[in-house]
Amino acid sequence: MQGRGDDRSVDRWGPFYTHSIKHGIDKKWVMWPLYREKKLTDRGLDQTQRQLFYFVYWSLEQRSATNRNAAPAEVTHVWPLFSAWDNGAGRRQFQFPSPLEVFFPANKHIHASWSPLFSIYRYDQRAPDDERYEFLWGLLSWHRETGAHEFHLGPLLSVEDEPAGDRIAIGSGLLGLKRASDRDHWRLFWFDFQRKANKVHASSR
């Protein structure tokens, strides 16, 4: 069946294929409800959304409608295995597994408070030279940026190498060693609990 009108069109072949254009929104269904694709332009962005069985696979790609050479922003959920984000400007994130994100894509509270409870592995790249990794619900974490890196084994052990100096701490600062960048020898310390936040889920996309 096919119909035409003002900014509207519908092509349908039984339950196997449907294509409609209405108010600038282009939608396709293949073997409903197996696969759905939606395209539209909003606020200067060409957007393409794809879904397999609604949420088993869900992706959104956004491209500049005026600058076709600009890198796209993308988000992909393969439920419940993983979620991946790329803002097209050097910021990337990945989480495994990811059972909640596809159902609450714009809920920052879920992302910050609840998603980490299911996270075995998380990755956050804020820039090509600024990367964070977390394993086993944050028990193991590693951060790398220009001129510095950190490793944390929960509250048990932390190793930091920064331009200001090096630091090895046990018990989040209960006992440890420090070395300033302009000195060759290490200094013993205790009860120094200063530690920078190194959680992927403490950041925002």
Side-chain angles (χ1 to χ4, degrees):
M1 181 178 72
Q2 182 172 339
R4 303 289 179 192
D6 295 337
D7 192 28
R8 299 184 183 185
S9 69
V10 178
D11 296 314
R12 182 179 292 115
W13 289 274
F16 304 107
Y17 176 81
T18 300
H19 179 207
S20 67
I21 300 175
K22 183 177 180 181
H23 303 309
I25 300 177
D26 187 321
K27 292 182 182 180
K28 293 179 182 178
W29 280 100
V30 178
M31 298 294 292
W32 182 91
L34 178 64
Y35 176 78
R36 177 180 183 261
E37 181 180 284
K38 181 172 72 172
K39 296 182 179 181
L40 71 150
T41 299
D42 182 36
R43 289 176 291 183
L45 295 173
D46 290 337
Q47 303 186 35
T48 302
Q49 183 186 97
R50 298 180 175 91
Q51 296 172 253
L52 184 68
F53 275 127
Y54 295 107
F55 60 84
V56 173
Y57 172 86
W58 190 99
S59 70
L60 175 64
E61 178 186 276
Q62 296 179 323
R63 290 182 175 272
S64 171
T66 57
N67 183 6
R68 306 308 298 177
N69 294 323
E74 299 175 295
V75 57
T76 301
H77 303 288
V78 178
W79 185 85
L81 298 179
F82 69 83
S83 293
W85 300 266
D86 184 346
N87 73 352
R91 182 70 186 273
R92 298 177 180 176
Q93 288 187 306
F94 181 90
Q95 176 175 313
F96 166 82
S98 182
L100 299 179
E101 295 287 349
V102 69
F103 301 110
F104 307 94
N107 192 317
K108 293 184 178 180
H109 175 71
I110 294 293
H111 176 67
S113 301
W114 292 97
S115 292
L117 298 178
F118 302 92
S119 173
I120 295 176
Y121 168 72
R122 300 189 109 195
Y123 168 78
D124 182 12
Q125 175 183 291
R126 299 188 176 189
D129 59 351
D130 187 347
E131 297 178 307
R132 296 173 184 266
Y133 302 83
E134 282 189 5
F135 301 89
L136 301 176
W137 302 276
L139 177 63
L140 294 172
S141 64
W142 183 69
H143 176 213
R144 177 192 68 85
E145 60 183 325
T146 301
H149 65 264
E150 301 176 22
F151 170 79
H152 299 277
L153 175 58
L156 300 179
L157 173 68
S158 63
V159 180
E160 302 173 9
D161 180 1
E162 299 181 341
D166 302 325
R167 182 176 188 266
I168 301 174
I170 298 173
S172 295
L174 182 66
L175 179 68
L177 295 170
K178 281 183 178 181
R179 182 177 64 178
S181 59
D182 58 350
R183 297 177 181 270
D184 295 328
H185 64 275
W186 291 83
R187 180 174 63 86
L188 182 68
F189 69 85
W190 55 87
F191 299 111
D192 180 0
F193 297 104
Q194 297 181 2
R195 173 180 167 186
K196 295 182 295 183
N198 190 47
K199 293 292 185 180
V200 170
H201 54 77
S203 64
S204 60
R205 292 185 224 116

Coordinates of all heavy atoms in Angstrom, one line a residue, residues 82-155:
F82 N 27.3 -4.6 26.2 CA 28.2 -3.4 26.4 C 27.5 -2.2 25.8 O 26.5 -2.3 25.1 CB 29.5 -3.6 25.6 CG 29.4 -3.6 24.1 CD1 29.4 -2.4 23.4 CD2 29.3 -4.8 23.4 CE1 29.3 -2.5 22.0 CE2 29.3 -4.9 22.1 CZ 29.2 -3.7 21.3
S83 N 28.0 -1.0 26.3 CA 27.6 0.3 25.7 C 28.9 1.0 25.4 O 29.9 0.9 26.1 CB 26.8 1.1 26.8 OG 25.6 0.5 27.0
A84 N 28.8 1.7 24.3 CA 30.0 2.5 23.8 C 29.5 3.9 23.4 O 28.5 4.0 22.7 CB 30.7 1.8 22.6
W85 N 30.3 4.9 23.7 CA 30.0 6.3 23.4 C 31.2 6.9 22.7 O 32.4 6.7 23.1 CB 29.7 7.1 24.6 CG 28.5 6.6 25.4 CD1 27.2 7.1 25.3 CD2 28.5 5.6 26.5 NE1 26.4 6.4 26.2 CE2 27.2 5.5 26.9 CE3 29.5 4.9 27.0 CZ2 26.8 4.6 28.0 CZ3 29.2 4.0 28.0 CH2 27.8 3.9 28.5
D86 N 31.0 7.8 21.7 CA 32.1 8.6 21.1 C 31.4 9.9 20.7 O 30.5 10.0 19.9 CB 32.6 7.8 19.9 CG 33.7 8.5 19.2 OD1 34.0 9.7 19.5 OD2 34.4 7.9 18.3
N87 N 31.9 11.0 21.3 CA 31.3 12.3 21.0 C 31.9 13.0 19.7 O 31.5 14.1 19.4 CB 31.4 13.3 22.2 CG 32.8 13.8 22.4 OD1 33.8 13.3 21.7 ND2 33.0 14.7 23.3
G88 N 32.8 12.3 19.0 CA 33.4 12.8 17.8 C 34.4 13.9 18.0 O 34.9 14.4 17.0
A89 N 34.7 14.2 19.2 CA 35.7 15.3 19.5 C 36.8 14.8 20.5 O 37.3 15.5 21.2 CB 35.0 16.5 20.1
G90 N 37.0 13.4 20.5 CA 38.1 12.9 21.3 C 37.6 12.3 22.6 O 38.5 11.7 23.3
R91 N 36.3 12.3 22.9 CA 35.8 11.7 24.2 C 35.2 10.4 23.9 O 34.2 10.4 23.1 CB 34.8 12.7 24.9 CG 34.3 12.1 26.2 CD 35.4 12.2 27.3 NE 34.9 11.5 28.5 CZ 34.3 12.2 29.5 NH1 33.9 13.4 29.3 NH2 34.0 11.5 30.6
R92 N 35.6 9.3 24.5 CA 35.1 8.0 24.3 C 34.9 7.3 25.6 O 35.7 7.5 26.5 CB 36.0 7.2 23.4 CG 36.2 7.8 22.0 CD 37.2 6.9 21.2 NE 37.4 7.5 19.9 CZ 38.3 7.0 19.0 NH1 39.1 6.0 19.3 NH2 38.4 7.5 17.8
Q93 N 33.9 6.5 25.7 CA 33.6 5.6 26.8 C 33.1 4.3 26.4 O 32.5 4.1 25.3 CB 32.6 6.3 27.8 CG 33.1 7.5 28.5 CD 32.2 8.0 29.5 OE1 31.0 8.3 29.2 NE2 32.6 8.1 30.8
F94 N 33.4 3.3 27.2 CA 33.0 1.9 27.0 C 32.7 1.2 28.3 O 33.4 1.4 29.3 CB 34.1 1.1 26.2 CG 33.7 -0.3 25.9 CD1 33.1 -0.6 24.7 CD2 34.0 -1.3 26.8 CE1 32.7 -1.9 24.4 CE2 33.6 -2.6 26.5 CZ 33.0 -2.9 25.3
Q95 N 31.7 0.4 28.4 CA 31.3 -0.3 29.6 C 30.9 -1.7 29.3 O 30.1 -2.0 28.3 CB 30.2 0.4 30.4 CG 29.8 -0.4 31.6 CD 28.8 0.3 32.5 OE1 28.9 1.5 32.8 NE2 27.7 -0.4 32.9
F96 N 31.3 -2.7 30.1 CA 30.9 -4.1 29.9 C 30.7 -4.7 31.3 O 31.6 -4.5 32.2 CB 32.0 -4.9 29.2 CG 31.8 -6.4 29.4 CD1 30.9 -7.1 28.5 CD2 32.5 -7.1 30.3 CE1 30.7 -8.5 28.7 CE2 32.3 -8.5 30.5 CZ 31.4 -9.2 29.7
P97 N 29.6 -5.4 31.6 CA 28.4 -5.4 30.8 C 27.6 -4.1 31.0 O 28.0 -3.3 31.9 CB 27.6 -6.6 31.3 CG 28.1 -6.7 32.7 CD 29.5 -6.2 32.8
S98 N 26.5 -3.9 30.3 CA 25.7 -2.7 30.4 C 24.2 -3.0 30.3 O 23.6 -2.8 29.2 CB 26.2 -1.7 29.3 OG 25.5 -0.5 29.4
P99 N 23.6 -3.5 31.4 CA 22.2 -3.8 31.3 C 21.2 -2.7 31.5 O 20.0 -2.9 31.2 CB 22.1 -4.8 32.5 CG 23.1 -4.3 33.5 CD 24.2 -3.8 32.7
L100 N 21.6 -1.5 31.9 CA 20.7 -0.4 32.2 C 20.7 0.7 31.2 O 19.7 1.4 31.0 CB 21.0 0.1 33.6 CG 20.9 -0.8 34.8 CD1 21.2 -0.1 36.1 CD2 19.5 -1.4 34.9
E101 N 21.9 1.0 30.6 CA 22.0 2.2 29.9 C 21.1 2.4 28.7 O 20.6 3.5 28.4 CB 23.5 2.3 29.3 CG 24.5 2.4 30.4 CD 24.6 3.8 31.0 OE1 23.9 4.7 30.5 OE2 25.3 4.0 32.0
V102 N 20.7 1.3 28.0 CA 19.8 1.4 26.9 C 18.4 1.8 27.3 O 17.7 2.4 26.5 CB 19.8 0.0 26.1 CG1 19.1 -1.0 26.9 CG2 19.1 0.2 24.7
F103 N 18.0 1.5 28.5 CA 16.7 1.9 29.0 C 16.7 3.3 29.6 O 15.6 3.9 29.7 CB 16.2 0.9 30.0 CG 16.2 -0.5 29.6 CD1 17.1 -1.5 30.0 CD2 15.2 -0.9 28.6 CE1 17.1 -2.8 29.6 CE2 15.2 -2.2 28.2 CZ 16.1 -3.2 28.6
F104 N 17.8 3.9 29.9 CA 17.9 5.2 30.5 C 19.0 6.0 29.8 O 20.0 6.4 30.5 CB 18.1 5.1 32.0 CG 17.2 4.2 32.8 CD1 17.5 2.9 33.0 CD2 16.0 4.7 33.2 CE1 16.6 2.1 33.7 CE2 15.1 3.9 33.9 CZ 15.4 2.6 34.2
P105 N 18.9 6.2 28.5 CA 20.0 6.9 27.8 C 20.3 8.3 28.2 O 21.5 8.7 28.1 CB 19.5 6.8 26.4 CG 18.0 6.8 26.5 CD 17.7 6.0 27.7
A106 N 19.4 9.0 28.8 CA 19.7 10.4 29.2 C 19.7 10.6 30.7 O 19.7 11.8 31.1 CB 18.6 11.3 28.5
N107 N 19.7 9.5 31.4 CA 19.6 9.7 32.9 C 21.0 9.6 33.5 O 21.6 8.5 33.6 CB 18.7 8.5 33.5 CG 18.4 8.7 34.9 OD1 19.2 9.1 35.7 ND2 17.1 8.5 35.2
K108 N 21.5 10.8 33.9 CA 22.9 10.8 34.4 C 23.0 10.2 35.8 O 24.0 9.7 36.2 CB 23.3 12.3 34.4 CG 23.5 12.9 33.1 CD 24.1 14.3 33.2 CE 24.3 14.9 31.8 NZ 24.9 16.3 31.9
H109 N 21.9 10.2 36.5 CA 21.9 9.6 37.9 C 22.1 8.0 37.7 O 22.9 7.4 38.5 CB 20.6 9.8 38.6 CG 20.5 9.1 39.9 ND1 21.2 9.5 41.0 CD2 19.7 8.0 40.3 CE1 20.9 8.7 42.0 NE2 20.0 7.8 41.6
I110 N 21.4 7.4 36.8 CA 21.6 6.0 36.5 C 23.0 5.7 36.1 O 23.7 4.8 36.6 CB 20.6 5.5 35.5 CG1 19.2 5.6 36.0 CG2 21.0 4.0 35.0 CD1 18.8 4.6 37.1
H111 N 23.6 6.5 35.2 CA 24.9 6.3 34.7 C 26.0 6.5 35.9 O 26.9 5.7 35.9 CB 25.2 7.4 33.6 CG 26.6 7.3 33.1 ND1 27.1 6.3 32.4 CD2 27.7 8.2 33.2 CE1 28.4 6.5 32.1 NE2 28.7 7.7 32.6
A112 N 25.8 7.4 36.8 CA 26.7 7.7 37.8 C 26.6 6.7 39.0 O 27.6 6.3 39.6 CB 26.6 9.1 38.3
S113 N 25.4 6.4 39.4 CA 25.1 5.7 40.6 C 24.8 4.2 40.5 O 25.2 3.4 41.3 CB 23.9 6.3 41.4 OG 24.2 7.7 41.6
W114 N 24.1 3.8 39.4 CA 23.7 2.4 39.3 C 24.5 1.6 38.3 O 24.8 0.4 38.6 CB 22.2 2.4 38.9 CG 21.3 2.8 40.1 CD1 20.8 4.1 40.2 CD2 20.9 2.1 41.2 NE1 20.1 4.2 41.4 CE2 20.1 3.0 42.0 CE3 21.1 0.8 41.7 CZ2 19.6 2.6 43.2 CZ3 20.6 0.4 42.9 CH2 19.8 1.3 43.6
S115 N 24.9 2.2 37.2 CA 25.6 1.4 36.2 C 26.9 0.8 36.7 O 27.2 -0.3 36.4 CB 25.9 2.3 35.0 OG 24.7 2.6 34.3
P116 N 27.7 1.5 37.6 CA 28.9 0.9 38.1 C 28.7 -0.4 38.9 O 29.6 -1.2 39.0 CB 29.5 2.0 39.0 CG 28.9 3.3 38.5 CD 27.5 2.9 38.0
L117 N 27.5 -0.6 39.4 CA 27.2 -1.8 40.1 C 27.3 -3.1 39.3 O 27.5 -4.2 39.7 CB 25.9 -1.8 40.8 CG 25.7 -0.7 41.8 CD1 24.3 -0.7 42.4 CD2 26.7 -0.8 43.0
F118 N 27.1 -2.9 37.9 CA 27.2 -4.0 37.0 C 28.4 -4.0 36.2 O 28.6 -4.9 35.3 CB 25.9 -3.9 36.1 CG 24.6 -3.9 36.8 CD1 24.0 -2.7 37.1 CD2 24.0 -5.1 37.1 CE1 22.8 -2.8 37.8 CE2 22.8 -5.1 37.7 CZ 22.2 -3.9 38.1
S119 N 29.3 -3.1 36.4 CA 30.5 -2.9 35.5 C 31.6 -3.7 35.9 O 32.2 -3.6 37.0 CB 30.9 -1.4 35.5 OG 32.0 -1.2 34.8
I120 N 32.0 -4.7 35.0 CA 33.3 -5.4 35.2 C 34.4 -4.6 34.6 O 35.5 -4.6 35.1 CB 33.1 -6.8 34.5 CG1 32.1 -7.6 35.3 CG2 34.5 -7.5 34.6 CD1 31.8 -9.0 34.7
Y121 N 34.2 -4.0 33.5 CA 35.2 -3.2 32.8 C 34.7 -1.9 32.3 O 33.6 -1.9 31.7 CB 35.8 -4.0 31.6 CG 36.7 -3.2 30.7 CD1 38.0 -2.7 31.2 CD2 36.3 -2.8 29.5 CE1 38.8 -2.0 30.3 CE2 37.1 -2.1 28.6 CZ 38.3 -1.7 29.1 OH 39.1 -0.9 28.2
R122 N 35.4 -0.8 32.5 CA 35.0 0.5 32.0 C 36.2 1.3 31.5 O 37.3 1.1 32.0 CB 34.3 1.4 33.1 CG 33.1 0.8 33.7 CD 32.4 1.8 34.6 NE 31.2 2.3 34.0 CZ 30.5 3.3 34.4 NH1 30.9 4.1 35.4 NH2 29.4 3.7 33.8
Y123 N 36.0 2.0 30.4 CA 37.1 2.8 29.8 C 36.6 4.2 29.6 O 35.4 4.4 29.1 CB 37.5 2.1 28.5 CG 38.4 2.9 27.6 CD1 39.7 3.1 27.9 CD2 37.8 3.6 26.5 CE1 40.5 3.8 27.1 CE2 38.7 4.4 25.7 CZ 40.0 4.5 26.0 OH 40.8 5.2 25.2
D124 N 37.4 5.2 29.8 CA 37.1 6.6 29.6 C 38.3 7.3 29.0 O 39.3 7.4 29.6 CB 36.7 7.2 30.9 CG 36.2 8.7 30.7 OD1 36.0 9.1 29.6 OD2 36.1 9.4 31.8
Q125 N 38.1 7.8 27.8 CA 39.1 8.6 27.1 C 38.6 10.0 27.0 O 37.7 10.3 26.3 CB 39.4 8.1 25.7 CG 40.4 9.0 25.0 CD 40.7 8.5 23.6 OE1 41.3 7.4 23.4 NE2 40.2 9.3 22.6
R126 N 39.2 10.9 27.7 CA 38.8 12.3 27.7 C 39.6 13.1 26.6 O 39.1 14.1 26.1 CB 39.1 13.0 29.0 CG 38.3 12.3 30.2 CD 38.4 13.1 31.5 NE 37.6 12.5 32.5 CZ 37.3 13.1 33.7 NH1 37.9 14.2 33.9 NH2 36.6 12.5 34.5
A127 N 40.8 12.6 26.2 CA 41.6 13.1 25.2 C 42.5 12.0 24.7 O 42.7 11.0 25.4 CB 42.4 14.3 25.6
P128 N 43.1 12.1 23.5 CA 44.0 11.0 23.1 C 45.1 10.7 24.1 O 45.6 9.5 24.2 CB 44.6 11.6 21.8 CG 43.6 12.5 21.3 CD 43.0 13.1 22.5
D129 N 45.5 11.6 24.9 CA 46.6 11.4 25.9 C 46.0 11.4 27.4 O 46.8 11.6 28.3 CB 47.7 12.5 25.8 CG 47.1 13.9 26.0 OD1 45.9 14.0 26.1 OD2 47.9 14.8 26.1
D130 N 44.7 11.1 27.5 CA 44.1 11.1 28.9 C 43.1 9.9 28.9 O 42.0 10.0 28.4 CB 43.4 12.4 29.2 CG 42.9 12.5 30.6 OD1 42.9 11.4 31.3 OD2 42.5 13.6 31.0
E131 N 43.6 8.8 29.4 CA 42.8 7.6 29.4 C 42.6 7.0 30.8 O 43.6 7.0 31.6 CB 43.4 6.5 28.5 CG 43.4 6.9 27.1 CD 44.1 5.8 26.2 OE1 45.2 5.4 26.6 OE2 43.5 5.4 25.2
R132 N 41.4 6.5 31.1 CA 41.2 5.8 32.4 C 40.6 4.4 32.2 O 39.7 4.3 31.3 CB 40.2 6.6 33.3 CG 40.7 8.0 33.7 CD 39.7 8.8 34.4 NE 40.1 10.1 34.7 CZ 40.6 10.5 35.9 NH1 40.7 9.6 36.9 NH2 41.1 11.7 36.1
Y133 N 41.1 3.4 33.0 CA 40.6 2.1 32.9 C 40.1 1.6 34.3 O 40.8 1.9 35.3 CB 41.6 1.1 32.4 CG 42.2 1.4 31.0 CD1 43.2 2.4 30.9 CD2 41.7 0.8 29.9 CE1 43.8 2.7 29.6 CE2 42.3 1.1 28.6 CZ 43.3 2.0 28.5 OH 43.9 2.3 27.3
E134 N 39.0 0.8 34.3 CA 38.6 0.2 35.6 C 38.3 -1.2 35.3 O 37.6 -1.6 34.3 CB 37.4 0.9 36.2 CG 37.7 2.2 36.9 CD 36.5 2.8 37.6 OE1 35.5 2.1 37.7 OE2 36.6 3.9 38.2
F135 N 38.6 -2.1 36.3 CA 38.3 -3.5 36.2 C 37.7 -4.0 37.5 O 38.0 -3.4 38.6 CB 39.6 -4.4 35.9 CG 40.3 -4.0 34.7 CD1 41.3 -3.0 34.7 CD2 40.0 -4.7 33.5 CE1 42.0 -2.7 33.5 CE2 40.7 -4.3 32.3 CZ 41.7 -3.4 32.3
L136 N 36.8 -4.9 37.4 CA 36.2 -5.6 38.6 C 35.6 -4.5 39.5 O 36.0 -4.4 40.7 CB 37.3 -6.4 39.3 CG 37.9 -7.5 38.5 CD1 39.0 -8.2 39.3 CD2 36.9 -8.5 38.1
W137 N 34.6 -3.8 39.0 CA 33.9 -2.8 39.7 C 34.8 -1.7 40.4 O 34.5 -1.2 41.5 CB 33.0 -3.5 40.8 CG 32.1 -4.5 40.2 CD1 30.9 -4.2 39.6 CD2 32.3 -5.9 40.0 NE1 30.3 -5.4 39.1 CE2 31.2 -6.4 39.4 CE3 33.4 -6.7 40.4 CZ2 31.1 -7.8 39.0 CZ3 33.2 -8.1 40.0 CH2 32.1 -8.6 39.4
G138 N 35.8 -1.4 39.7 CA 36.7 -0.3 40.2 C 37.8 -0.8 41.1 O 38.6 0.0 41.6
L139 N 37.9 -2.1 41.4 CA 38.9 -2.6 42.3 C 40.3 -2.3 41.7 O 41.2 -1.9 42.5 CB 38.8 -4.1 42.5 CG 39.8 -4.8 43.4 CD1 39.8 -4.2 44.8 CD2 39.6 -6.3 43.4
L140 N 40.5 -2.5 40.4 CA 41.7 -2.2 39.7 C 41.4 -1.0 38.9 O 40.4 -1.0 38.1 CB 42.2 -3.4 38.9 CG 42.6 -4.6 39.6 CD1 42.9 -5.7 38.6 CD2 43.9 -4.4 40.4
S141 N 42.2 0.0 38.9 CA 42.1 1.2 38.1 C 43.4 1.7 37.6 O 44.4 1.6 38.4 CB 41.3 2.3 38.8 OG 42.0 2.8 39.9
W142 N 43.5 2.2 36.4 CA 44.7 2.8 35.8 C 44.4 4.0 35.1 O 43.4 4.1 34.3 CB 45.4 1.7 34.9 CG 46.7 2.1 34.4 CD1 47.8 2.3 35.1 CD2 47.0 2.5 33.0 NE1 48.8 2.7 34.2 CE2 48.3 2.8 33.0 CE3 46.2 2.4 31.9 CZ2 49.0 3.2 31.8 CZ3 46.8 2.8 30.7 CH2 48.2 3.2 30.6
H143 N 45.2 5.1 35.3 CA 45.0 6.3 34.6 C 46.3 6.8 34.0 O 47.3 6.8 34.6 CB 44.5 7.4 35.6 CG 44.4 8.8 35.0 ND1 44.6 9.9 35.7 CD2 44.0 9.2 33.8 CE1 44.4 11.0 35.0 NE2 44.1 10.5 33.8
R144 N 46.2 7.2 32.7 CA 47.4 7.7 32.0 C 47.1 9.0 31.3 O 46.0 9.2 30.7 CB 47.8 6.7 30.9 CG 48.9 7.1 30.0 CD 49.1 6.3 28.8 NE 48.0 6.5 27.8 CZ 47.9 7.4 26.9 NH1 48.9 8.3 26.8 NH2 46.9 7.5 26.1
E145 N 48.0 10.0 31.5 CA 47.9 11.2 30.8 C 49.3 11.7 30.6 O 50.3 11.1 31.1 CB 47.1 12.3 31.5 CG 47.6 12.6 32.9 CD 46.7 13.6 33.6 OE1 46.1 14.5 33.0 OE2 46.6 13.5 34.9
T146 N 49.5 12.8 29.8 CA 50.8 13.2 29.4 C 51.7 13.5 30.7 O 51.3 14.3 31.5 CB 50.7 14.5 28.6 OG1 50.0 14.3 27.4 CG2 52.1 15.0 28.2
G147 N 52.8 12.8 30.8 CA 53.7 13.0 31.8 C 53.4 12.3 33.2 O 54.1 12.5 34.2
A148 N 52.3 11.6 33.2 CA 51.8 11.0 34.5 C 51.0 9.8 34.3 O 50.4 9.6 33.3 CB 51.0 12.0 35.3
H149 N 51.0 8.9 35.3 CA 50.2 7.7 35.3 C 49.9 7.3 36.8 O 50.7 7.6 37.6 CB 50.7 6.6 34.5 CG 52.0 6.0 35.0 ND1 53.2 6.4 34.5 CD2 52.2 5.1 35.9 CE1 54.2 5.7 35.1 NE2 53.6 4.9 36.0
E150 N 48.8 6.6 37.0 CA 48.4 6.1 38.3 C 47.9 4.7 38.2 O 47.3 4.3 37.2 CB 47.3 7.0 38.9 CG 47.6 8.4 39.1 CD 46.4 9.2 39.6 OE1 45.6 8.6 40.3 OE2 46.4 10.4 39.4
F151 N 48.2 3.9 39.2 CA 47.6 2.6 39.4 C 47.0 2.4 40.8 O 47.7 2.8 41.7 CB 48.6 1.5 39.1 CG 48.2 0.1 39.4 CD1 47.4 -0.6 38.6 CD2 48.5 -0.5 40.7 CE1 46.9 -1.9 38.9 CE2 48.1 -1.7 41.0 CZ 47.3 -2.4 40.1
H152 N 45.8 1.9 40.9 CA 45.2 1.7 42.2 C 44.6 0.3 42.3 O 43.9 -0.2 41.4 CB 44.1 2.7 42.4 CG 44.5 4.1 42.4 ND1 45.1 4.7 43.5 CD2 44.5 5.0 41.4 CE1 45.4 6.0 43.2 NE2 45.1 6.2 41.9
L153 N 44.9 -0.4 43.4 CA 44.4 -1.7 43.7 C 43.4 -1.5 44.9 O 43.8 -1.7 46.1 CB 45.4 -2.7 44.0 CG 45.0 -4.1 44.5 CD1 44.0 -4.8 43.5 CD2 46.2 -5.0 44.8
G154 N 42.2 -1.0 44.6 CA 41.3 -0.6 45.7 C 42.0 0.3 46.7 O 42.8 1.2 46.3
P155 N 41.7 0.1 48.0 CA 42.3 0.9 49.0 C 43.7 0.3 49.5 O 44.3 0.9 50.3 CB 41.3 0.9 50.2 CG 40.7 -0.4 50.0 CD 40.6 -0.7 48.5

